[in-house]
Amino acid sequence: MKISQVIISTLLLCGLVVMVNGDIPVHCLFHQVFGDWTFYRTSTSFSNDVVHNTCALTNPLPNVNVDTIKLRLLAPDVVYDEQGNEGFWTLIYDQGFEVVINKQKYFAFFNYTQQGKVVTSNCGQTFTGWYHDAGIAVKKFGCFRGIRTGAPSESTHEHELMSAPKVDLKNKVFTNNMEKINTINKSQKMWQATAYPQFEGKSLEFMRRIAGGRTANKNRKAALKAQKERFQTIFQTQARVNGNKKIITEEDVNALPKEFSWTNVNGMNLVVPVRNQGVFCGSCYAFSSSDMFGSRVRVITNGTKTPVYSPQDIVECSAYSQGCDGGFMYLVSKYAEDYGLAEESCDPYKGVDSVCKKDQCPKRAYGTNYAYTGGFYGATNAKNMMYELYHGGPLAIAFEVYDDFFNYKGGVYTHSTALKTKIAEPGWEETNHAVLLVGWGEENGVPYWLVKNSWGTSWGINGFFKIKRGTDECDCESEAVSADIYSY
Ligand SMILES: *[C@@H]1O[C@H](CO)[C@@H](O)[C@H](O)[C@H]1NC(C)=O
Ligand SMILES: *[C@@H]1O[C@H](CO)[C@@H](O)[C@H](O)[C@H]1NC(C)=O
Ligand SMILES: *[C@@H]1O[C@H](CO)[C@@H](O)[C@H](O)[C@H]1NC(C)=O
């Protein structure tokens, strides 16, 4: 059961990650969400059966066997109940929130309605979400809905469907633009472009799916980096490793090596091999997250265990994402804690949505301690990413794919106008593709991240790419996610 039953854009939600293209078209920011909320809850008497996902069919309002709790969500990540108990909360991109208080976890997407291309985001109320005791593989779930009390009017706002295509994507095709490729090769020395025959003549719809969707809408964008900087200074530079918060000092950062990669730890490669998400499925979020878990098993077992987890199982079975229409790494990590991951061999990748069968892969690997790097959405930065990557293992990250990225062949990628085209919205950065961060280094004096893509090994540097580090290139330092592996 997917929330996408509510007409998400039928378009190509590409896939790759994020909202703009897939996922749900709701768009809610921090200042539209924090404040006082009432949660209307059923009892925790539902099974967590992925096939019979009861919460999606249940409406705890009005007053059918519900109780209520009142919560106050504050900046940056603190929540209180009426008794003064303290908990934690985070936005999940602009889609929903997770609240953890009194040893219970609540997750819901924000409500929206849609008429044609006009979406009304109702950030002061949620669709029916899930709650349960904090823990791994918890069996009893309750359903809840949240309503923000005394919400200011800005919590409800109209916006254009962000994934609305301007051109006929089905009938227009991608051609490798040799002039552009030559210009990239000649005009700068940081990275090189090439023509990939596998992309030539593919419909723009295909390119959207593999690249995360919609081409950047320049009209919606303006340079207001200061907004983001102001938002970041609210937060301390913190990291989480093995579930523990840690404030990172300059010393911690200086102690990190100049160059590091999980693909080569004393000659050992501890990263799941490059895969190909294929044409028809916006499943990058499932690849990047499941490969984070697979790689982290390699890390903690020193390469003696080499599982590969199944993106198909996530696409088919997780009610926390939208199948081939997209999803989020945070919510796959939550799925790994609540439902576990299947092995690739049990549910091999098909690259299309299909039916989740009850008990189709009874052997599950569980994750735990999932979090945005830095602790919550908005707190991620280059320093805490380096720290968590080095001390914990590969991270699932997201960034914004622009057209020139398709032709990437080598070197340290930058999109020259990326910084100038940031959306001017506080505490939110647009991303559309999810990948796996595995290392960092410096090339000709330019600091870079080493990242694994899911477009096969013939693309980029054997399936990997380098992107400029430390300047939030294409928003790639805006939402890293990590989680520990609990059992495998
Ligand atoms: C979403 O919000 C609208 C406007 O308040 C409401 O009419 C609708 O019933 C809500 N949808 C769901 C599924 O809760
Ligand atoms: C650009 O540079 C790359 C890497 O050196 C090379 O493979 C490619 O053929 C070049 N392409 C063009 C059109 O110059
Ligand atoms: C990890 O495995 C490598 C290669 O087998 C070995 O050389 C190394 O000593 C192992 N490290 C640990 C900590 O066990």
Side-chain angles (χ1 to χ4, degrees):
M1 180 49 58
K2 291 179 181 144
I3 210 157
S4 54
Q5 68 194 61
V6 210
I7 333 162
I8 347 184
S9 49
T10 35
L11 348 159
L12 12 147
L13 311 182
C14 87
L16 316 183
V17 190
V18 211
M19 119 185 209
V20 198
N21 319 297
D23 316 316
I24 62 172
V26 75
H27 179 51
C28 293
L29 305 181
F30 189 91
H31 68 278
Q32 295 155 342
V33 170
F34 84 97
D36 290 345
W37 285 75
T38 302
F39 285 3
Y40 297 81
R41 314 185 298 183
T42 67
S43 65
T44 50
S45 56
F46 296 103
S47 120
N48 74 340
D49 187 328
V50 288
V51 178
H52 305 105
N53 200 302
T54 336
C55 286
L57 305 171
T58 305
N59 184 350
L61 283 177
N63 59 48
V64 259
N65 301 326
V66 295
D67 73 349
T68 59
I69 56 164
K70 289 191 184 339
L71 299 173
R72 177 164 291 174
L73 308 189
L74 297 174
D77 64 346
V78 188
V79 55
Y80 292 100
D81 68 7
E82 284 186 299
Q83 287 71 46
N85 298 308
E86 189 179 313
F88 157 85
W89 76 285
T90 180
L91 281 175
I92 295 150
Y93 195 62
D94 60 356
Q95 304 267 290
F97 57 27
E98 186 166 64
V99 176
V100 185
I101 190 164
N102 297 331
K103 301 202 169 79
Q104 289 188 309
K105 289 190 168 190
Y106 300 82
F107 160 66
F109 291 106
F110 297 120
N111 169 302
Y112 69 91
T113 53
Q114 185 177 351
Q115 284 198 308
K117 285 185 183 177
V118 178
V119 176
T120 303
S121 289
N122 301 309
C123 304
Q125 54 177 299
T126 71
F127 287 127
T128 301
W130 300 258
Y131 83 100
H132 56 82
D133 291 344
I136 293 150
V138 171
K139 294 294 173 230
K140 290 291 170 199
F141 275 37
C143 309
F144 82 101
R145 289 174 86 191
I147 296 197
R148 190 176 162 187
T149 47
S153 54
E154 66 181 310
S155 277
T156 295
H157 60 110
E158 278 187 4
H159 49 91
E160 210 174 292
L161 182 65
M162 295 194 182
S163 49
K166 301 253 178 308
V167 290
D168 176 359
L169 296 170
K170 273 209 168 94
N171 296 315
K172 284 237 163 76
V173 296
F174 180 90
T175 48
N176 286 293
N177 181 336
M178 293 316 291
E179 202 179 316
K180 196 172 89 187
I181 293 170
N182 272 321
T183 308
I184 292 170
N185 276 2
K186 292 210 182 90
S187 64
Q188 48 85 48
K189 292 207 159 51
M190 273 173 64
W191 66 282
Q192 302 82 44
T194 196
Y196 288 105
Q198 66 265 41
F199 294 160
E200 183 68 36
K202 289 288 185 301
S203 76
L204 291 189
E205 178 172 348
F206 165 87
M207 300 311 279
R208 255 169 93 94
R209 280 182 177 269
I210 75 154
R214 158 211 67 83
T215 44
N217 180 346
K218 301 226 165 44
N219 298 333
R220 291 182 54 242
K221 303 197 168 194
L224 268 193
K225 204 165 155 264
Q227 289 266 34
K228 141 122 183 169
E229 277 160 11
R230 203 167 61 212
F231 190 71
Q232 280 260 357
T233 56
I234 303 173
F235 310 130
Q236 310 221 32
T237 296
Q238 57 183 24
R240 271 173 193 243
V241 171
N242 297 323
N244 298 318
K245 256 191 207 181
K246 170 166 173 37
I247 304 298
I248 308 172
T249 63
E250 281 303 314
E251 275 176 4
D252 291 328
V253 176
N254 293 339
L256 295 168
K258 286 272 164 290
E259 203 170 275
F260 176 75
S261 174
W262 287 110
T263 60
N264 182 359
V265 182
N266 304 319
M268 269 199 309
N269 181 357
L270 299 176
V271 174
V272 174
V274 170
R275 301 197 262 172
N276 196 336
Q277 70 185 81
V279 187
F280 299 111
C281 191
S283 52
C284 60
Y285 69 96
F287 276 90
S288 86
S289 312
S290 54
D291 284 356
M292 171 181 71
F293 284 106
S295 302
R296 282 174 172 239
V297 173
R298 287 160 174 75
V299 169
I300 61 172
T301 64
N302 193 29
T304 58
K305 294 271 188 289
T306 56
V308 176
Y309 296 117
S310 164
Q312 190 64 36
D313 174 80
I314 296 163
V315 164
E316 288 167 358
C317 296
S318 176
Y320 302 152
S321 41
Q322 286 76 46
C324 284
D325 291 342
F328 290 84
M329 304 97 71
Y330 187 92
L331 295 175
V332 174
S333 302
K334 179 177 173 63
Y335 177 71
E337 180 170 284
D338 293 348
Y339 298 95
L341 301 172
E343 298 226 357
E344 177 68 14
S345 53
C346 177
D347 193 3
Y349 190 60
K350 299 187 199 75
V352 288
D353 277 313
S354 67
V355 178
C356 179
K357 293 185 257 355
K358 189 169 167 60
D359 299 329
Q360 62 181 7
C361 295
K363 181 170 176 275
R364 315 293 290 186
Y366 289 92
T368 187
N369 295 331
Y370 57 88
Y372 283 110
T373 297
F376 51 92
Y377 182 68
T380 302
N381 59 38
K383 285 179 188 170
N384 55 29
M385 284 166 73
M386 285 172 76
Y387 187 88
E388 289 200 15
L389 177 70
Y390 185 76
H391 291 281
L395 302 176
I397 64 167
F399 72 111
E400 184 77 358
V401 168
Y402 295 89
D403 274 359
D404 55 1
F405 187 74
F406 290 119
N407 295 112
Y408 172 88
K409 180 60 195 159
V412 180
Y413 175 78
T414 61
H415 179 68
S416 52
T417 56
L419 273 184
K420 289 180 216 108
T421 57
K422 287 264 177 76
I423 290 186
E425 294 189 275
W428 180 69
E429 290 184 67
E430 192 170 16
T431 59
N432 60 11
H433 187 39
V435 285
L436 188 71
L437 177 63
V438 302
W440 69 74
E442 236 177 77
E443 190 167 288
N444 304 320
V446 183
Y448 67 80
W449 297 112
L450 181 63
V451 189
K452 186 174 83 127
N453 202 353
S454 48
W455 296 349
T457 50
S458 65
W459 181 89
I461 311 166
N462 302 317
F464 289 76
F465 65 96
K466 294 172 181 168
I467 186 168
K468 199 171 173 214
R469 168 170 56 99
T471 51
D472 197 21
E473 181 67 35
C474 298
D475 298 348
C476 74
E477 290 156 11
S478 69
E479 53 167 332
V481 168
S482 68
D484 297 322
I485 190 88
Y486 174 78
S487 63
Y488 48 88

